[in-house]
Structure formats: C-alpha cells, structure tokens
Amino acid sequence: YAALGKERRKARKTLAPFAEGCVKLSARFCCPQTVREVDYLNYLRKKGVTASFMPKYLGSLSSPSYVGLAVEAILPTEDRKVWLLGTYLAEIKDADESVWKRLEDALRATKREMHEKGVVVSDIGTANMFIVEERGVLRPVIFDGYYIPEHIPTAKYIPWFRKLKINRQWAKPRDV
C-alpha cells in the first residue's frame, strides 16, 4: 500500500473495497489532475456513460494525505492478452499489412465511440493505452487521462467543444 506511517492501517481499510481493481493514489497537496479525473469519472458515472475503451470505474478514495481513484484491473488471463500500446507496436513492427489494418480499425472504432459517448481523454498516448485481445478481437483500453484540464471545462458540457477536444487529442502523437 502506498501509505506512510500511521496511515498504513487506514490505507488497508480504505483500499479493501478495491482489492480487485487498480488504485491510483496522489499526494493531496499536488494532485489537481487526479482530483479532476475523479470529478470527471463521477460525472460520467452519474450520466450512466460506459464505453468499451474505459476500464470500469470503481470509485474514489481519500485520506488526509492522499486522494485517489480505483478502476477495473486489466490483466492478462488464459483467454486474454494485454499489451501497452507501445509494446504492441514494437511487437508488430515487422508484421504484414493486415495486422496493422486490424489495429488501425480498432483505434478508429475507439475514436468513433468517444464521439458517440462524449468521453474526453486528455492524454492519449502509448503509455496510457492497453491493447487487449480476446477471442481474436483487438480492443484498445485507455486507462488514464479522463479529465478536462481547463479551468472552465466547456468540453464537458458543450458537444461542439467536446468534439474539438477529442479530435485534437487523437491528432497529437505521443510516446511513439
């Protein structure tokens, strides 16, 4: 558990409901991104928004020193392979065109679903996305960056700004 001293026992109790998930903790005094992410994920949950590219949001947690969120853990199993996008790209670099087309189709479907569901991810990159393969089907899973960084989050409430934000994020190649 990522807690110090006296808070270790409290952290175990706080994290217990999220034992099957992945917990992101940030120091309370320097965590505006995590606070925004919790706020946005709670907003999406309240609106009933789910998407194939989003890990299930399990909830938020806080202590006097930390604030955090928990999401479904995306782990490999006998029937499921999981790669970071960057690792997957390195693995398929010499593959034939059909492998690249399959990945491109999966990524395009993810972008389309983001527009349909109105979900903004502010940090799309190879280090924030898994490629999950189950039963021969590729599915991108974006596990970080669910927040709108602006002080006045127009993209959260106005579809036109949301569309611009989504398109801008997909136009910025990162970590490649």
Side-chain angles (χ1 to χ4, degrees):
Y1 296 102
L4 305 171
K6 292 185 246 180
E7 289 211 28
R8 190 174 305 274
R9 187 178 298 124
K10 254 192 266 181
R12 281 195 182 107
K13 186 177 179 183
T14 304
L15 295 174
F18 308 116
E20 299 299 315
C22 177
V23 177
K24 174 182 178 179
L25 289 175
S26 299
R28 185 173 287 284
F29 63 88
C30 63
C31 64
Q33 177 181 324
T34 304
V35 170
R36 282 191 211 109
E37 206 162 355
V38 167
D39 177 60
Y40 190 57
L41 289 169
N42 283 329
Y43 168 80
L44 292 173
R45 175 192 272 172
K46 185 176 177 182
K47 290 185 61 101
V49 175
T50 60
S52 68
F53 61 85
M54 293 176 66
K56 182 180 178 190
Y57 175 57
L58 302 175
S60 62
L61 55 144
S62 65
S63 78
S65 303
Y66 293 90
V67 63
L69 59 96
V71 296
E72 158 194 22
I74 307 295
L75 301 171
T77 65
E78 278 187 31
D79 301 323
R80 175 172 55 191
K81 296 178 185 175
V82 179
W83 302 265
L84 271 174
L85 177 57
T87 304
Y88 187 76
L89 292 172
E91 234 177 78
I92 67 168
K93 70 179 179 179
D94 297 323
D96 64 49
E97 194 174 314
S98 66
V99 174
W100 286 94
K101 175 83 170 101
R102 193 171 142 213
L103 175 61
E104 182 180 358
D105 290 347
L107 292 169
R108 285 183 189 277
T110 297
K111 181 180 177 185
R112 202 169 28 257
E113 187 178 7
M114 288 176 86
H115 281 293
E116 290 167 3
K117 304 280 178 100
V119 177
V120 175
V121 178
S122 290
D123 193 13
I124 295 174
T126 58
N128 289 348
M129 187 184 306
F130 289 129
I131 297 298
V132 178
E133 182 178 24
E134 291 180 278
R135 294 178 293 284
V137 176
L138 289 184
R139 175 175 62 103
V141 176
I142 303 169
F143 59 85
D144 193 21
Y146 290 93
Y147 64 94
I148 299 171
E150 292 82 16
H151 182 66
I152 300 171
T154 54
K156 185 173 173 181
Y157 303 108
I158 302 170
W160 185 77
F161 285 112
R162 188 167 40 247
K163 181 178 179 178
L164 291 176
K165 171 76 76 186
I166 291 168
N167 287 339
R168 198 167 42 249
Q169 287 303 311
W170 280 94
K172 294 180 193 176
R174 291 191 188 83
D175 311 316
V176 178

